[in-house]
Amino acid sequence: MTNGHLTRRALLGGATAVALGATTGTARATTVEVPSLWREFTRTPYTHPQIPYVGRAGYRGGARRFPRHRVVADIRDHGAVADGVTDCAPAINRAVAAAGRAGGGTVSIPPGTFRIDGLIQVGYDNVVLRGAGSGRTTLYATKNLTELIGVYGSRYGGTKSAWSWAGGLIWLAPRARWDSLVAAIKAQAWPFEGWTGNKRDEWEPLTAVEPARQGDWTVKVADPSRLRPGSLVLLRVSDDPTHTLLQHMSGGGPGPAAYYWTDKTKLLSYVPYEWPVRIARMHGRTIVLERPLPLDLRPEWNPQLTTHVRELTGAGVEGLTLDVMETPQSPHLLDKGYNGVALQCTYDCWVDDVTVRNVDNGFGLVAASSCTLRGTRVGGRGEHHPYFCREGSHDNLIEDFTIEERTVPAPSDTQLHGINVEGLSSYNVWSRGSMAMGTFDSHRGLPFANVRTDITVNNNGRHGGDANAGPLFGARFTHWNIRVTNARAGLMKIDGLAPYSATVGVNAVTDFDQIDVPDFTGDLHSRLELYPTTGVVRPRNLYEAQREL
């Protein structure tokens, strides 16, 4: 499938193959069942009211293999020594810069433990930082982001540390964007963190876009003269005074229409909705996109294609462990920034076979899109956010991930979240996960159209989010084949919370600890199937099945 246009026969054939193929070799379930929701989805995959189409999530539309660039730099040639004493961060950054000057390539980190007293910044396209494997190459980090960059306050005021949800000791971001962020933090001019700069003003209109429907792969523009096949553009969709765009993100209808949006100042700061996408092809004023539209485009929302800050693309981190010097976990929202790997303003980038230990926050996606995190692991003394996905991050894939049980008791003034999504982030997938702790943390800010599938979770975390960040869920959240080992319902069984959403194949759970009420009144039009069951739903993995279509 190169253009996303499928016949109904192909859809149904693929669905049958996936459903039947998944039954082989399974000892846990004596019977298997294909829910009616799946059969419906195969008929209308791009416009289903409860299940989002995420079959193109991840690096290069979900590519199975990452590129293997030739080695252009070895950190030892730039001064790195695995002696436990030498600060190797400058050498690693010199090697990354050398690879950038070469036009891309692999920076090799051999087996051993290399101390780093600074952060590693990957800001060049097609540069891959590659260790010998997460069990063989270790970067031992001794300092936090507060020490290395400075205090980082919240742009919404108060005494919170933004290092509680931003930045990493390995930080993938385009160099110019990273420089501007650091300069703003040092000047205490707390920035917006996304695709249009610190003040959300670094963009120019390219062309207006005519009305279109969610799920369309093509749009018609007013003026194609500044567009080119293969280029990355930003689709910006604004709201109107009555907040019909936010209602649309919530599924529409009486509940979202009656919701009071006006005082949700943090949520309103995330609008316009910004969605980066590559242009696949052009035919006059008709533009073919590499993935279907996430929303309707209506004239009252002024849809347009615009420029954006330059993205980082084709970069990756592979085969290493980031082991942070063990320190006590900080009180909630006062993190110092012992953070793992962050991807920011990245597109078609990846992290593969990477473990982080003793971090405040593990892996972060901040205004990141079309990226894959595969084979990642968070362990050690416990953390605030094992994974965070925020500030308008879209179409990302986190698969084969593990959150280990903490090695020390949690201090009483800390919080544990889990796999987080917030801030109008959409069409992200968490697949094939093992969570010894944490929860499915929808952190308000109206995230919508996200999927969690084929995950085992000890559901002992709590979600966060300010009241002025708005609803926990927008429309088209799907939880599919979820195994809850402690039988806690919160944020797992979401038919009573998330509008126009689906809970399919979850074992029996009950409410205890944090109990939420729906943000919207009336019928949520949310679906529940194959409840309570464990391991019987086919297809087992919603994302994999959508890829097969």
Side-chain angles (χ1 to χ4, degrees):
M1 182 184 70
T2 58
N3 62 8
H5 301 295
L6 305 173
T7 66
R8 181 177 176 184
R9 177 176 295 178
L11 285 167
L12 292 174
T16 301
V18 171
L20 294 179
T23 65
T24 61
T26 301
R28 288 188 300 167
T30 57
T31 61
V32 298
E33 297 188 51
V34 179
S36 59
L37 269 165
W38 174 250
R39 301 185 191 280
E40 293 172 14
F41 178 83
T42 60
R43 294 191 290 269
T44 59
Y46 310 129
T47 59
H48 194 277
Q50 279 89 14
I51 298 177
Y53 175 72
V54 293
R56 298 279 292 171
Y59 167 81
R60 294 291 183 186
R64 291 304 190 196
R65 294 184 179 180
F66 304 122
R68 300 288 291 183
H69 299 306
R70 67 185 181 92
V71 175
V72 296
D74 186 309
I75 66 168
R76 293 170 297 186
D77 296 333
H78 293 266
V81 182
D83 60 4
V85 177
T86 302
D87 173 16
C88 298
I92 296 172
N93 284 321
R94 286 193 294 268
V96 168
R101 290 192 299 271
T106 296
V107 174
S108 175
I109 309 178
T113 297
F114 297 85
R115 173 173 171 159
I116 57 172
D117 297 336
L119 66 86
I120 309 303
Q121 207 273 311
V122 180
Y124 304 92
D125 291 347
N126 303 311
V127 170
V128 179
L129 192 66
R130 181 182 298 149
S134 60
R136 302 181 66 202
T137 295
T138 297
L139 302 182
Y140 180 71
T142 64
K143 294 186 178 180
N144 57 60
L145 293 168
T146 301
E147 294 174 277
L148 297 172
I149 295 176
V151 172
Y152 188 2
S154 169
R155 65 177 181 251
Y156 301 105
T159 59
K160 301 173 184 176
S161 167
W163 298 127
S164 301
W165 58 76
L169 292 171
I170 301 176
W171 197 333
L172 283 73
R175 184 73 198 193
R177 185 74 185 100
W178 188 83
D179 286 344
S180 71
L181 286 165
V182 170
I185 294 165
K186 289 183 175 180
Q188 299 191 356
W190 314 131
F192 284 90
E193 301 156 272
W195 287 101
T196 48
N198 293 346
K199 297 182 179 179
R200 295 198 77 181
D201 58 359
E202 296 180 39
W203 61 276
E204 298 176 11
L206 294 172
T207 180
V209 182
E210 294 186 5
R213 298 298 302 273
Q214 172 204 324
D216 288 350
W217 290 74
T218 62
V219 294
K220 186 166 285 188
V221 300
D223 178 9
S225 63
R226 297 182 65 188
L227 307 179
R228 297 290 182 272
S231 64
L232 188 72
V233 294
L234 200 66
L235 175 66
R236 283 172 59 88
V237 187
S238 302
D239 207 355
D240 61 14
T242 58
H243 303 299
T244 58
L245 174 64
L246 297 177
Q247 294 178 45
H248 175 57
M249 291 173 174
S250 306
Y259 185 81
Y260 191 71
W261 302 96
T262 304
D263 65 346
K264 308 303 185 291
T265 53
K266 183 179 285 190
L267 172 61
L268 297 179
S269 76
Y270 301 141
V271 182
Y273 175 80
E274 297 174 339
W275 183 66
V277 65
R278 289 198 194 278
I279 296 173
R281 295 186 303 282
M282 298 173 57
H283 307 286
R285 293 196 300 119
T286 299
I287 308 301
V288 182
L289 306 174
E290 68 173 346
R291 50 175 52 87
L293 285 176
L295 295 165
D296 289 354
L297 304 182
R298 302 178 188 172
E300 57 267 32
W301 300 334
N302 188 28
Q304 54 186 315
L305 299 180
T306 75
T307 64
H308 51 85
V309 298
R310 188 184 183 281
E311 73 276 9
L312 177 70
T313 189
V317 180
E318 302 177 351
L320 58 83
T321 290
L322 177 66
D323 189 6
V324 176
M325 177 179 63
E326 186 169 353
T327 60
Q329 188 175 351
S330 296
H332 186 228
L333 296 176
L334 297 178
D335 296 353
K336 295 176 181 177
Y338 291 107
N339 295 349
V341 183
L343 290 80
Q344 186 161 2
C345 295
T346 54
Y347 198 92
D348 281 336
C349 294
W350 71 91
V351 178
D352 184 29
D353 181 29
V354 172
T355 294
V356 298
R357 297 184 58 80
N358 301 320
V359 291
D360 293 340
N361 301 282
F363 294 89
L365 297 160
V366 182
S369 292
S370 191
C371 296
T372 295
L373 277 59
R374 181 179 297 160
T376 56
R377 179 180 292 266
V378 184
R381 53 95 156 135
E383 56 282 332
H384 182 191
H385 294 95
Y387 292 82
F388 57 91
C389 177
R390 48 174 296 272
E391 202 77 10
S393 290
H394 315 292
D395 305 300
N396 298 295
L397 171 64
I398 302 93
E399 65 179 357
D400 300 314
F401 66 94
T402 301
I403 302 173
E404 297 178 357
E405 180 62 77
R406 63 193 314 136
T407 55
V408 297
S412 60
D413 53 358
T414 63
Q415 279 200 23
L416 166 68
H417 298 311
I419 50 175
N420 153 275
V421 61
E422 59 182 284
L424 298 187
S425 296
S426 62
Y427 294 87
N428 300 290
V429 179
W430 292 262
S431 169
R432 293 197 305 266
S434 175
M435 300 173 58
M437 63 178 191
T439 193
F440 292 179
D441 172 29
S442 293
H443 217 85
R444 301 198 177 273
L446 197 67
F448 66 96
N450 296 286
V451 168
R452 286 97 168 220
T453 183
D454 196 8
I455 298 171
T456 300
V457 52
N458 178 32
N459 184 25
N460 62 358
R462 298 169 67 85
H463 77 76
D466 293 338
N468 64 3
L472 276 171
F473 300 96
R476 298 188 307 285
F477 260 80
T478 301
H479 291 176
W480 186 286
N481 189 18
I482 306 299
R483 302 166 293 276
V484 187
T485 60
N486 63 344
R488 177 180 164 223
L491 302 174
M492 304 288 129
K493 182 177 177 288
I494 56 173
D495 55 298
L497 290 175
Y500 286 92
S501 292
T503 304
V504 180
V506 176
N507 57 280
V509 291
T510 57
D511 278 320
F512 59 89
D513 192 27
Q514 187 179 52
I515 300 174
D516 292 293
V517 297
D519 291 290
F520 303 110
T521 58
D523 188 352
L524 295 179
H525 300 280
S526 196
R527 303 275 293 274
L528 178 68
E529 279 200 72
L530 298 185
Y531 175 79
T533 61
T534 301
V536 304
V537 60
R538 294 297 183 271
R540 289 182 59 88
N541 186 296
L542 181 61
Y543 167 73
E544 295 289 344
Q546 289 194 19
R547 281 183 50 86
E548 293 293 329
L549 291 181

